[in-house]
Amino acid sequence: MRKIIAFLAACLALLILCVAGAEGSATYSFGSKVLAGDVDLGRPLTLMPSGTIFAFVDTGAPGYGQDDGVYLHIPKSKRDADPQVNDNDIRITPLLNSSGAMLKPAGSSVEKGDIDWQNHLTPLQGATIRYMDQYGSTGYDLGDPVYLHHDVRLTNVTDAQGFPVPGLAPGTKIIDLDSDRNKLLGLSPSALGPIAYFDKNGDGFYDDGDEIYVNYPDGGLSVKVNNVRLTEVNT
């Protein structure tokens, strides 16, 4: 009996340690918005390196098309006149194979050796981050969906009850019959941004594992309510 009691006590102690270790930790997905009480709220942010752009891999007819993969491209040097997909670039749309099956999700970081690594990139000229005013207010609200204004959703689109609309998820592109097609977006390109990152390893540079946000500009560079996560965030 004593051995059984000792065993149960040890199991309970291990459970307590596991719960304590998990307390304050969380995982947030690409395209999620920061809410009050989220664990990453208040983290300091740093502006993305100079020359960071949105760009696409041209896979079909010349010019940007429905099947072209979109990236947040972070240059490796100031001389990046002929950009390629770098390791640590972020996929804004999923990486698909020739059959349309997903290989890597939107928000994933490119790694050396991935099939899209070092593919040629074409800048998305005039790309801006904007929002759709769902509620008729004069500004950007928590429920307003956010877009890369070249037809890519950066957040969920929700219905009147606040539930995500099937098929209108972060990383998807707008097609002809989508309910949000041709809806008016916020007119100020500067309403959302800048894009900034949390220096997770504290080395002073954007590199492997750093987490990226669209920063809501209400003063200062930090993770705020209504920021949009452009990568998965693990706290």
Side-chain angles (χ1 to χ4, degrees):
M1 179 64 71
R2 289 182 178 177
K3 289 183 177 179
I4 294 175
I5 293 173
F7 175 74
L8 292 175
C11 290
L12 179 60
L14 181 60
L15 178 62
I16 291 172
L17 286 174
C18 291
V19 171
E23 186 177 359
S25 65
T27 298
Y28 303 104
S29 61
F30 164 78
S32 60
K33 287 192 177 184
V34 178
L35 306 176
D38 283 354
V39 181
D40 54 347
L41 190 68
R43 283 177 163 184
L45 295 176
T46 303
L47 292 176
M48 297 301 294
S50 176
T52 297
I53 59 170
F54 289 104
F56 67 96
V57 173
D58 197 347
T59 57
Y64 178 63
Q66 185 67 35
D67 296 327
D68 295 337
V70 179
Y71 296 78
L72 181 67
H73 171 64
I74 301 94
K76 291 291 187 182
S77 70
K78 294 181 179 179
R79 291 180 290 182
D80 199 4
D82 186 22
Q84 296 178 331
V85 178
N86 290 332
D87 48 297
N88 291 330
D89 281 359
I90 302 300
R91 299 178 181 95
I92 300 300
T93 57
L95 174 63
L96 308 177
N97 65 15
S98 57
S99 301
M102 186 174 69
L103 300 177
K104 299 283 185 176
S108 59
S109 179
V110 177
E111 299 178 4
K112 291 181 178 179
D114 286 348
I115 63 170
D116 53 348
W117 180 57
Q118 294 189 328
N119 280 351
H120 176 73
L121 283 171
T122 301
L124 269 173
Q125 300 295 339
T128 55
I129 297 176
R130 301 188 182 186
Y131 64 95
M132 184 173 71
D133 191 354
Q134 290 264 77
Y135 303 101
S137 68
T138 57
Y140 171 57
D141 299 317
L142 192 60
D144 292 338
V146 177
Y147 298 79
L148 175 63
H149 191 38
H150 268 273
D151 79 0
V152 183
R153 300 175 184 95
L154 298 181
T155 64
N156 280 311
V157 177
T158 56
D159 61 20
Q161 287 73 44
F163 295 106
V165 178
L168 308 188
T172 57
K173 290 187 178 183
I174 298 171
I175 58 177
D176 285 347
L177 299 179
D178 286 345
S179 59
D180 55 349
R181 185 173 181 264
N182 292 329
K183 294 291 182 66
L184 184 66
L185 299 182
L187 297 180
S188 174
S190 61
L192 298 181
I195 300 172
Y197 69 95
F198 172 62
D199 187 7
K200 196 164 187 177
N201 59 12
D203 63 0
F205 301 94
Y206 171 74
D207 52 17
D208 187 39
D210 290 343
E211 296 161 340
I212 301 178
Y213 298 78
V214 178
N215 187 53
Y216 183 58
D218 61 353
L221 279 172
S222 65
V223 178
K224 309 176 186 70
V225 171
N226 238 349
N227 278 12
V228 178
R229 301 177 180 99
L230 291 187
T231 57
E232 182 176 272
V233 171
N234 295 287
T235 62

